[in-house]
Amino acid sequence: MEVFLIRTLQFILAITILVALHEGGHFFFSKLFGVRVNKFYIFFDWKFSLFSTKFNWWRKLRGKVDADGKVIPAKKDKDGNYEYEGTEYGLGWIPLGGYCQIEGMIDETQHDVEKLKEPAKPWEFRGKPCWQRLLIMIGGVLVNFLLALVIYCGVFFTWGEDYYALKDMPYGMKFNEQAQQLGFRDGDRLIGTEEEEFREFNANMLRSLTTAREATVLRDGKQVKIQLPGNLSLLQMLKSEPVFCRPFVPADVDTIIPNTAAAKAGMKKGDRIIALGKKPVDSWNTFTYESGRMADALSDCKTKADSLKVLTTVVTYISKEKGDTATAAVVFDNEAHLGVGMTTVANYMKPTHISYNLLTCIPAGIGYALDMLGGYVSDLKYVFTSEGAKQLGGFGAIGSMFPPVWDWHMFWMMTAFLSIILAFMNILPIPALDGGHVMFLLYEMIFRRKPGDKFLLYSQYVGMGILFLLMIVANLNDVLRFFGIMY
């Protein structure tokens, strides 16, 4: 429960920052060009809001009070509506985004086509030149991307950068069957491809392998060239069990959790697991794969006896204390856990640390942001596959990306990444998104005429329908994963 609460608070704080600044971008350019903004809301306020500056309703009824305390009656326009008295600021209760209600614009907050048949007022969005309207619409995306740059620069300046160099991995990499068929061998140290030299194990490294024709590894002290097809699927590489490759980490026990199978078997910190039943174990990669198979087998069990049979096995390990090989019959818990903490690469090597000053953190932050954007755009092609659609995640998936403890470094890195995603997704040419409005504005600039108001209204409905459908699918995937129906 504590982990869930911490992740939820981080998620809400990040979304609040991103939505406020995104809508602030629209607000800034609107005010800059003299366009009225009726409402500025963080989160949606359907039916009611958590907070609102609707205190001005008293001013609307009584009018304004001058310096001498006299009441100046509020003025009405020719239709009997009170004149504009400023922007209403508020906090909604539905954390799905936010909005900036701009006067004279068809969007999700207002769609009165009849009102738009009247001549455009000087303070309305539709009464401004096309280039000003374009800047108003891209204001949110621009702020989100700039925010990511600023955050990355700030993170590098404050904490620097730590990474584990691939070329220095003491045990090299662990490869799955697909990788071994291509020519990789367990223990190989990845050097790079014909396109680039590798620095660390991350998604960019795997992306490079998908398009490379040749990879270079260090094997037994010699560089070896491995020919690649140039069209590997990143999604398949990550979805494989086990995955295409991971740092090779020996199955050395880091901690023993009290009152678990490992503790009852007498295992100690530093023991090295070398087999589960008749299956040899050379690394935590293999151990995780075998225990995962055990967990999968549990789903087919119909009785307690069947489950007990699956969970019971013999663990063979080398005792650090005695130096000899020992065996123990153990019963894994109901989630197929032995009760041991695993070592990581950090147990066997020190990270490379890079410090940045005010000058060097800027190009580093910009470069990192562009890499993240490029990787995200590159991976979008998988969304349009059946397997890729299953990987869509909603609020649960996003929230789970935050660390289980409050870590400001990770929080800001995640916030910056979400800011890049928000910027890119909003600029897509889908009606109801900023990119949809930009698309119609570009049409107007090129063809010198506006799309019809009814067309804009109906396209808004279509765009909202698409967005709601994607949201339903993404969050449904979260629910199915939570109940173990989909992985």
Side-chain angles (χ1 to χ4, degrees):
M1 184 63 183
E2 182 182 356
V3 170
F4 173 79
L5 183 61
I6 290 173
R7 280 178 164 156
T8 301
L9 289 174
Q10 291 181 87
F11 172 70
I12 291 175
L13 178 58
I15 291 299
T16 302
I17 293 170
L18 297 179
V19 170
L21 292 177
H22 177 90
E23 299 303 332
H26 298 307
F27 181 86
F28 170 78
F29 283 106
S30 296
K31 289 296 186 180
L32 181 65
F33 301 132
V35 177
R36 289 180 178 178
V37 179
N38 296 323
K39 289 185 176 183
F40 182 94
Y41 265 77
I42 299 173
F43 303 154
F44 294 123
D45 59 324
W46 183 64
K47 298 297 185 181
F48 69 94
S49 62
L50 300 178
F51 167 79
S52 171
T53 57
K54 290 184 177 178
F55 306 112
N56 62 359
W57 66 270
W58 184 250
R59 290 167 54 199
K60 287 183 178 180
L61 292 177
R62 290 190 54 197
K64 301 177 183 179
V65 180
D66 64 14
D68 298 326
K70 283 187 175 184
V71 176
I72 304 174
K75 296 180 180 179
K76 295 182 179 181
D77 60 20
K78 62 185 178 79
D79 296 320
N81 299 316
Y82 285 102
E83 289 186 342
Y84 176 75
E85 294 187 357
T87 303
E88 176 187 321
Y89 302 90
L91 177 66
W93 62 276
I94 307 177
L96 302 181
Y99 66 93
C100 185
Q101 191 182 76
I102 300 171
E103 185 75 15
M105 170 184 172
I106 294 179
D107 63 3
E108 68 276 9
T109 67
Q110 51 188 358
H111 36 73
D112 188 351
V113 178
E114 294 302 319
K115 183 179 177 182
L116 295 179
K117 289 180 179 179
E118 301 174 5
K121 309 293 192 304
W123 59 81
E124 289 186 324
F125 175 82
R126 62 193 178 118
K128 299 299 178 180
C130 203
W131 66 272
Q132 291 185 2
R133 284 180 280 143
L134 184 63
L135 284 175
I136 291 172
M137 291 318 307
I138 67 173
V141 169
L142 182 62
V143 168
N144 278 133
F145 189 69
L146 291 176
L147 173 65
L149 296 181
V150 170
I151 291 177
Y152 283 135
C153 292
V155 167
F156 287 142
F157 176 76
T158 305
W159 287 282
E161 190 178 10
D162 291 300
Y163 67 93
Y164 293 94
L166 273 175
K167 61 183 180 62
D168 297 329
M169 292 278 180
Y171 297 99
M173 304 293 289
K174 175 75 175 176
F175 296 91
N176 69 4
E177 185 178 350
Q178 177 197 9
Q180 294 195 20
Q181 288 176 353
L182 292 171
F184 293 103
R185 298 291 178 266
D186 288 345
D188 286 351
R189 298 182 185 179
L190 285 165
I191 303 298
T193 65
E194 79 277 11
E195 299 172 349
E196 63 176 317
E197 184 178 340
F198 295 150
R199 190 185 76 161
E200 60 184 313
F201 176 76
N202 57 21
N204 282 336
M205 183 212 79
L206 293 174
R207 288 189 192 97
S208 181
L209 289 175
T210 63
T211 57
R213 291 289 181 179
E214 183 181 83
T216 304
V217 300
L218 190 64
R219 181 183 299 167
D220 298 327
K222 298 180 181 179
Q223 287 196 4
V224 177
K225 303 288 186 182
I226 297 174
Q227 302 303 310
L228 298 176
N231 60 350
L232 295 173
S233 167
L234 178 63
L235 186 61
Q236 186 61 41
M237 292 168 76
L238 294 173
K239 283 289 293 179
S240 299
E241 289 291 344
V243 296
F244 188 84
C245 67
R246 282 194 184 279
F248 195 116
V249 181
D252 295 331
V253 176
D254 186 58
T255 54
I256 299 291
I257 301 173
N259 302 318
T260 60
K264 293 173 183 176
M267 296 180 67
K268 306 290 184 184
K269 177 178 179 178
D271 293 349
R272 176 172 290 187
I273 299 172
I274 58 174
L276 283 180
K278 296 181 180 180
K279 298 288 185 180
V281 172
D282 60 357
S283 63
W284 284 122
N285 312 66
T286 306
F287 178 90
T288 302
Y289 175 66
E290 293 300 332
S291 59
R293 291 181 61 188
M294 188 182 295
D296 292 340
L298 281 176
S299 61
D300 296 327
C301 294
K302 297 180 180 179
T303 66
K304 286 186 177 181
D306 292 337
S307 298
L308 184 62
K309 184 177 180 181
V310 169
L311 294 172
T312 303
T313 189
V314 174
V315 176
T316 306
Y317 61 95
I318 299 174
S319 172
K320 182 181 180 181
E321 198 174 77
K322 299 179 180 178
D324 58 359
T325 301
T327 59
V330 298
V331 180
F332 281 59
D333 69 16
N334 292 330
E335 295 181 351
H337 293 156
L338 177 60
V340 296
M342 302 180 184
T343 52
T344 66
V345 172
N347 291 87
Y348 305 97
M349 64 183 294
K350 292 183 178 179
T352 301
H353 179 77
I354 304 176
S355 296
Y356 296 95
N357 57 36
L358 277 173
L359 292 178
T360 56
C361 74
I362 296 174
I366 294 174
Y368 192 88
L370 292 175
D371 281 345
M372 296 301 289
L373 177 62
Y376 182 74
V377 173
S378 173
D379 296 343
L380 272 183
K381 61 178 177 287
Y382 298 112
V383 174
F384 302 101
T385 65
S386 59
E387 191 62 36
K390 295 178 182 178
Q391 304 311 307
L392 285 174
F395 299 111
I398 296 172
S400 66
M401 295 168 67
F402 286 92
V405 295
W406 200 284
D407 183 326
W408 283 111
H409 175 267
M410 287 301 299
F411 169 80
W412 287 116
M413 291 294 283
M414 270 302 304
T415 301
F417 179 60
L418 291 178
S419 193
I420 286 176
I421 293 177
L422 183 61
F424 180 77
M425 293 302 293
N426 260 284
I427 205 62
L428 291 176
I430 299 174
L433 291 177
D434 295 343
H437 292 286
V438 169
M439 175 177 64
F440 294 134
L441 284 169
L442 291 176
Y443 171 88
E444 181 181 341
M445 294 173 74
I446 294 171
F447 295 101
R448 304 294 182 182
R449 60 190 179 94
K450 295 181 181 180
D453 289 335
K454 284 191 176 181
F455 173 80
L456 292 176
L457 176 60
Y458 293 141
S459 65
Q460 188 78 14
Y461 291 152
V462 171
M464 291 297 292
I466 293 172
L467 295 180
F468 278 124
L469 179 61
L470 287 174
M471 191 178 297
I472 291 170
V473 171
N475 285 284
L476 179 61
N477 285 350
D478 285 352
V479 174
L480 295 177
R481 279 190 284 266
F482 178 78
F483 287 105
I485 300 174
M486 187 176 73
Y487 300 94

